[in-house]
């Protein structure tokens, strides 16, 4: 088409109509007048999305590569293709193991909450009806999926079904700004309403402005009337920040969701609600604190003698239960020297006056 005045006018008219439809759709909410058009679009484009998902499946590519390699006669080309096939197979095995782990975790969550679920795979990100946080799954009305059904995975709440086609459905994610779900605090049972904020933590308005909340507290879905759009007991997230209470009727807290909305793959649509509220049974077990190692120090008593010297006692320190005059007893028990002077008294000072003993003796006489 040439750039003419008529073509420009037509382009402006189409843009105006598009914005008008978006405005009507947002204001209409769940009763939007263009909901029928969305369902028709899902019916038309759903099989195309399934076909595209199958076309880029690494398992299918690997099978096709094996078939092609058998038809080629060039040995080098065959070896190169076999090498690529092996690489794709290894990548496919890793992906299959990841999907298996996700499926096991989701089945465990469904079993603990007694939810009847229909497993599905995410095949598209972002729907054509707006700029909201949505994904497309490969399950639709033919699989029993209906609008306003809870969607979860092995980690917790994913979102709710908004549009259903024969073989696909659109899920509004819990972090979308238009998403709101009733919540209940673990243990304290404080009620509130969680609202998505994109890639930031959820904002939760607690109905009790004086509720005692701290970082690390956990929340689950409160449940809706007739279990639509939300069933009770699905894990929502963990508190990361609490606004100070200013005496208001409500209190705002911020919750980090359990689900990673940017890496969704296997999800489950709750097609049958539990008979009874599972309360907090679906929440994961809290990690046990790591024990702190303790060190025991044993003090060894000092050896006898109080450290003065080997086999020596401090004369200023009394010996418990000992002789108060150990030196005197030692002198009394000494063996006399046969070569000693009989006129010399035992207490004579060596190296002194040799007549000292005689003088003392004369004095005694």
């Amino acid at each position: 088409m040439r750039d003419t005045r008529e073509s420009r006018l037509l382009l402006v008219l189409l843009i105006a109509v598009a914005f008008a439809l978006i405005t009507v759709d947002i204001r209409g909410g769940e009763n939007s007048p263009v909901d029928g058009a969305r369902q028709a679009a899902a019916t038309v484009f759903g099989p195309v999305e399934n076909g595209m998902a199958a076309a880029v499946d690494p398992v299918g590519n690997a099978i096709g590569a094996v078939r092609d390699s058998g038809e080629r006669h060039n040995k080098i080309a065959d070896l190169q293709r076999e090498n690529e096939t092996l690489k794709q197979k290894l990548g496919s095995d890793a992906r299959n193991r990841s999907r298996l782990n996700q499926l096991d975790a989701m089945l465990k969550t469904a079993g603990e909450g007694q939810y009847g679920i229909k497993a599905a795979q995410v095949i598209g990100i972002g729907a054509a009806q707006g700029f909201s946080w949505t994904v497309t799954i490969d399950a639709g009305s033919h699989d029993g999926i209906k609008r306003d059904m809870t969607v979860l995975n092995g980690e917790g709440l994913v979102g709710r079904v908004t549009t259903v086609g024969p073989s696909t459905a659109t899920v509004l994610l819990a972090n979308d700004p238009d998403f709101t779900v009733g919540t209940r605090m673990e243990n304290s049972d404080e009620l509130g309403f969680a609202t998505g904020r994109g890639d930031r933590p959820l904002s939760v308005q607690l109905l009790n402005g004086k509720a005692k909340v701290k970082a690390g507290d956990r929340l689950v879905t409160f449940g809706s009337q007739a279990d639509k759009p939300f069933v009770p007991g699905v894990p929502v997230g963990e508190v990361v920040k609490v606004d100070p209470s200013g005496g208001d009727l409500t209190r705002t807290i911020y919750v980090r969701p359990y689900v990673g909305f940017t890496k969704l793959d296997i999800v489950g649509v709750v097609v049958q609600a539990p008979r009874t509220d599972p309360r907090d049974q679906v929440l994961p077990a809290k990690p046990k604190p790591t024990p702190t190692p303790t060190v025991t120090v044993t003090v060894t008593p000092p050896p006898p003698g109080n450290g003065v010297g080997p086999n020596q006692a401090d004369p200023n320190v009394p010996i418990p239960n000992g002789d108060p005059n150990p030196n005197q007893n030692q002198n009394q028990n000494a063996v006399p020297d046969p070569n000693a002077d009989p006129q010399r008294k035992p207490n004579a000072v060596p190296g002194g006056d040799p007549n000292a003993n005689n003088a003392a003796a004369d004095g005694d006489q």
Side-chain angles (χ1 to χ4, degrees), residues 183-185 204 217-221 234-237 239 253 255 283:
T183 62
R184 180 178 58 79
M185 297 289 301
V204 180
D217 289 347
R218 304 185 295 181
L219 294 83
V220 298
T221 56
V234 180
V236 175
V239 177
I253 62 177
V255 176
L283 283 170

Side-chain angles (χ1 to χ4, degrees), residues 14-29 32-34 38 127-132 178:
L14 291 176
I15 293 175
V17 171
F19 274 103
L21 290 176
I22 292 175
T23 303
V24 171
D25 185 23
I26 294 176
R27 293 184 176 181
S32 173
V34 298
R38 282 203 302 267
Q129 62 262 33
F131 300 97
S132 56
D178 291 333

Side-chain angles (χ1 to χ4, degrees), residues 330-355:
Q330 184 177 2
N331 293 333
Q332 293 177 357
N333 296 330
V335 179
D337 187 359
N339 298 323
D341 187 357
Q343 299 297 329
R344 185 178 179 181
K345 290 187 177 182
N347 296 329
V349 179
D353 188 359
N355 298 322

Side-chain angles (χ1 to χ4, degrees), residues 183-195:
T183 62
R184 180 178 58 79
M185 297 289 301
E186 179 186 15
N187 299 326
S188 67
D189 292 338
E190 294 288 351
L191 302 181
F193 293 95
T195 303

Side-chain angles (χ1 to χ4, degrees), residues 210-233:
K210 299 180 180 180
K212 295 182 179 180
V213 189
K214 64 182 184 300
D217 289 347
R218 304 185 295 181
L219 294 83
V220 298
T221 56
F222 177 68
S224 307
Q225 185 177 5
D227 298 317
K228 287 187 177 183
F230 302 109
V231 294

